Amino acid sequence: VRVGRHVRVDRPIHLIHLAESSANRAEAAHARVLVVLEPGATAELVEEYASFGEAPFWTNVRSQVFLAEGAALKHYRVVRQGSQGRLTACIEAEIGPRARYESHVFNLSGLFAREDVRARMAGEGADAAFNGLALLSGAEFADHHTVVEHAAVGGTTRQLYKAVLDD
């Protein structure tokens, strides 16, 4: 996904990762998502992960985000995996001068979900927020790992992760 210089995308861009496991064998899908916002660009991106079926299924996604000077991205990830669904996601973000990145993750169902965030605050005044919500029950598992490198002065990061547990 590339958004040009000073372009404002009026509607959210929606990427759906949909998987169905067959009845008798485990399956996997590996995807790469590349997002580039040029200087002054603004967009919202919704990535939705869904799987269904009774056999184990693993979705492995690497998302790379590059925000140039003054760009802004709101990045939403919604996880609705089936009872045997497993998700590993790696988000790598490079946030340029006075750019803003918001990450919002919603783990709503699935056996296992792990998100690794690696952010580099590459420019002066870069701003980032990392938020997550997990609604878990039974043996479901979700976790988030973040590593943020402040490579320039004047950057701000905030993190807030919450979980609601049942059973």
Side-chain angles (χ1 to χ4, degrees), residues 104-164:
H104 306 280
V105 180
F106 304 94
N107 289 307
L108 304 178
S109 62
L111 185 62
F112 178 90
R114 167 165 286 156
E115 177 182 282
D116 292 318
V117 176
R118 295 182 194 116
R120 184 169 188 269
M121 310 299 280
E124 185 176 339
D127 185 66
F130 305 100
N131 301 303
L133 172 64
L135 302 176
L136 306 173
S137 65
E140 293 178 336
F141 175 86
D143 68 356
H144 302 269
H145 302 256
T146 58
V147 175
V148 179
E149 175 191 358
H150 283 265
V153 299
T156 303
T157 56
R158 292 167 305 287
Q159 295 185 55
L160 178 63
Y161 292 94
K162 299 278 184 165
V164 177

Side-chain angles (χ1 to χ4, degrees), residues 35-131:
V35 180
V36 178
L37 270 64
E38 294 181 5
T42 303
E44 288 186 23
L45 174 66
V46 178
E47 284 187 81
E48 187 172 353
Y49 303 92
S51 69
F52 53 97
E54 295 306 315
F57 195 92
W58 175 37
T59 303
N60 181 42
V61 179
R62 178 181 182 201
S63 297
Q64 294 173 286
V65 175
F66 297 94
L67 302 181
E69 184 173 357
L73 178 67
K74 291 182 180 180
H75 189 183
Y76 302 92
R77 284 173 310 289
V78 180
V79 179
R80 283 184 261 215
Q81 301 279 38
S83 64
Q84 294 298 308
R86 294 157 174 84
L87 170 72
T88 52
C90 177
I91 313 305
E92 296 170 336
E94 182 156 326
I95 304 156
R98 290 168 296 290
R100 173 142 176 83
Y101 178 65
E102 291 181 30
S103 169
H104 306 280
V105 180
F106 304 94
N107 289 307
L108 304 178
S109 62
L111 185 62
F112 178 90
R114 167 165 286 156
E115 177 182 282
D116 292 318
V117 176
R118 295 182 194 116
R120 184 169 188 269
M121 310 299 280
E124 185 176 339
D127 185 66
F130 305 100
N131 301 303

